[in-house]
Amino acid sequence: MKTTAIISLLLFPFFGSSQLTDITTNIITNPGNLNAYVHEPVNKPTKKIPLVLVLHGCNQDAIEISSGSGWNMLADSLNFLVLYAEQRGANNVFKCFNWFSKEDQEKDKGEIASIHEMVKYAVSHYSIDTSKIFIYGVSAGAAMSVNYMACYPGTIKSGAILAGTAYKQAESAGKSFSEMKQPTMFDEANLRRKLYSQDSLYTGEFPQLIVIHGTEDKVVQYGNGEVLVKQWKTVFNVTSESMKQVVAGATTPTIMRTDYKDAKGRSVIILYKANKWGHYLMIDPGPGIKQGGEVSKHAKDGDFFSTYQIARDWNLAK
């Protein structure tokens, strides 16, 4: 009894500070054996609100990505729900989502199925605007986010992929390492075929794609971001491309933004190329509305709150 009390006292402030509610046991169908948490905005919504699904990177968990990314703070100020999928050590010793596993790349199977069940649970138990469901992933979580976007394209409005890979860039654990270091530049037909492999008759739109990738990323080489953009261009009628430098802080690395627009003038793909930036989440800790995130071994102060920029691109923030 005493030991249990001590553990509870130690854990309470840790979980309390992250403002996460464990809903894992509520996910009845969970073939991928994942954990699930939600963060509700502090103000009770009076209308349906957006949902942001967040997937962490290797050697991370829901608590670290929630504090590092600053999504909870934005959810409170901008009024949306955040849903965190979390890997278990029993599935992957490094707590990486198994984005490279064939089973976990297939619709209604493995980890993908578990994540989809979490989304369905959130929609059925919270006041969610189903036209405004977004996904955000970092590293392995980014690659798994791409998997989800490919398997359930009609569910997601837009996905932000930070240091991720193209869909089915690798289909085994061994191949994943070589592809992350030096991605195969598949041709357009191959990349398009991979995207439609889950439903060759799909006629709907694919989600908007936002890619943020550093040119000095030693874990997931920058070329992976280029392959991903190339893959997504095969499902959109891109009619124009424009590039501009992002105006940010004095110490921010040079960030070039490329907008790929369709005939309607929509930015269907946005690529942020961060010059000389490594395998870290770029944040800007501070009290300002455009500041946030916490420094950790996976997040560095780049004088640029990338999470806020993504929220702006999703029209969640102005």
Side-chain angles (χ1 to χ4, degrees):
M1 190 71 174
K2 184 182 292 185
T3 301
T4 303
I6 292 173
I7 291 174
S8 298
L9 286 170
L10 289 172
L11 289 179
F12 179 77
F14 193 40
F15 278 88
S17 64
S18 67
Q19 300 174 302
L20 300 184
T21 301
D22 189 343
I23 60 167
T24 305
T25 57
N26 299 334
I27 311 301
I28 306 303
T29 304
N30 190 3
N33 193 35
L34 302 177
N35 295 327
Y37 303 86
V38 294
H39 172 77
E40 298 180 70
V42 291
N43 296 318
K44 187 175 179 61
T46 57
K47 60 181 180 179
K48 290 185 179 297
I49 60 175
L51 169 66
V52 175
L53 172 60
V54 175
L55 276 63
H56 62 79
C58 296
N59 295 309
Q60 283 189 301
D61 55 24
I63 291 176
E64 183 182 338
I65 193 66
S66 67
S67 59
S69 65
W71 274 117
N72 291 356
M73 178 192 71
L74 286 181
D76 289 340
S77 62
L78 302 175
N79 210 37
F80 55 85
L81 186 86
V82 191
L83 169 62
Y84 295 90
E86 182 184 78
Q87 182 60 286
R88 296 181 182 179
N91 298 338
N92 185 296
V93 67
F94 298 110
K95 296 195 72 176
C96 308
F97 287 101
N98 291 306
W99 60 272
F100 46 79
S101 167
K102 287 187 177 182
E103 178 177 280
D104 298 306
Q105 295 175 339
E106 303 297 321
K107 184 177 181 179
D108 298 334
K109 294 183 179 179
E111 293 172 15
I112 282 291
S114 291
I115 294 169
H116 193 52
E117 288 299 318
M118 295 175 197
V119 173
K120 291 195 295 183
Y121 176 86
V123 168
S124 64
H125 288 78
Y126 301 93
S127 184
I128 300 299
D129 182 345
T130 56
S131 69
K132 296 180 180 179
I133 299 178
F134 307 91
I135 192 167
Y136 165 99
V138 177
S139 193
M144 184 58 87
S145 296
V146 172
N147 289 2
Y148 188 83
M149 293 164 69
C151 289
Y152 303 99
T155 300
I156 298 296
K157 182 178 179 66
S158 177
I161 309 303
L162 286 70
T165 63
Y167 180 53
K168 293 190 174 181
Q169 184 72 28
E171 296 181 69
S172 69
K175 189 67 174 174
S176 69
F177 291 103
S178 59
E179 289 296 324
M180 287 190 295
K181 293 295 184 183
Q182 189 62 52
T184 301
M185 301 300 290
F186 296 108
D187 60 42
E188 286 84 356
N190 193 327
L191 290 169
R192 181 182 171 88
R193 185 166 57 251
K194 290 173 184 287
L195 269 184
Y196 279 98
S197 64
Q198 297 306 303
D199 185 355
S200 61
L201 300 179
Y202 180 69
T203 58
E205 277 201 341
F206 276 80
Q208 177 203 44
L209 174 71
I210 298 173
V211 174
I212 300 180
H213 217 123
T215 62
E216 295 299 314
D217 194 321
K218 305 300 183 184
V219 179
V220 183
Q221 195 261 345
Y222 175 76
N224 283 280
E226 293 182 323
V227 180
L228 176 56
V229 169
K230 181 180 178 181
Q231 183 175 54
W232 236 249
K233 287 174 71 176
T234 68
V235 297
F236 284 114
N237 180 26
V238 175
T239 59
S240 68
E241 299 179 18
S242 61
M243 181 185 296
K244 64 180 179 181
Q245 184 171 338
V246 174
V247 178
T251 61
T252 304
T254 300
I255 303 174
M256 300 304 298
R257 169 179 169 146
T258 303
D259 282 70
Y260 300 82
K261 296 185 177 182
D262 63 8
K264 297 178 181 179
R266 301 179 303 170
S267 293
V268 290
I269 303 170
I270 302 173
L271 169 64
Y272 290 95
K273 180 180 181 180
N275 187 46
K276 296 183 179 179
W277 188 260
H279 194 70
Y280 302 97
L281 173 61
M282 193 182 300
I283 57 174
D284 182 20
I289 183 60
K290 297 182 181 180
Q291 291 183 299
E294 293 181 12
V295 173
S296 71
K297 61 182 178 181
H298 299 109
K300 290 180 66 175
D301 187 352
D303 207 10
F304 178 71
F305 189 21
S306 59
T307 310
Y308 184 83
Q309 181 60 52
I310 291 166
R312 287 188 62 186
D313 289 334
W314 287 344
N315 292 317
L316 298 179
K318 295 180 179 180

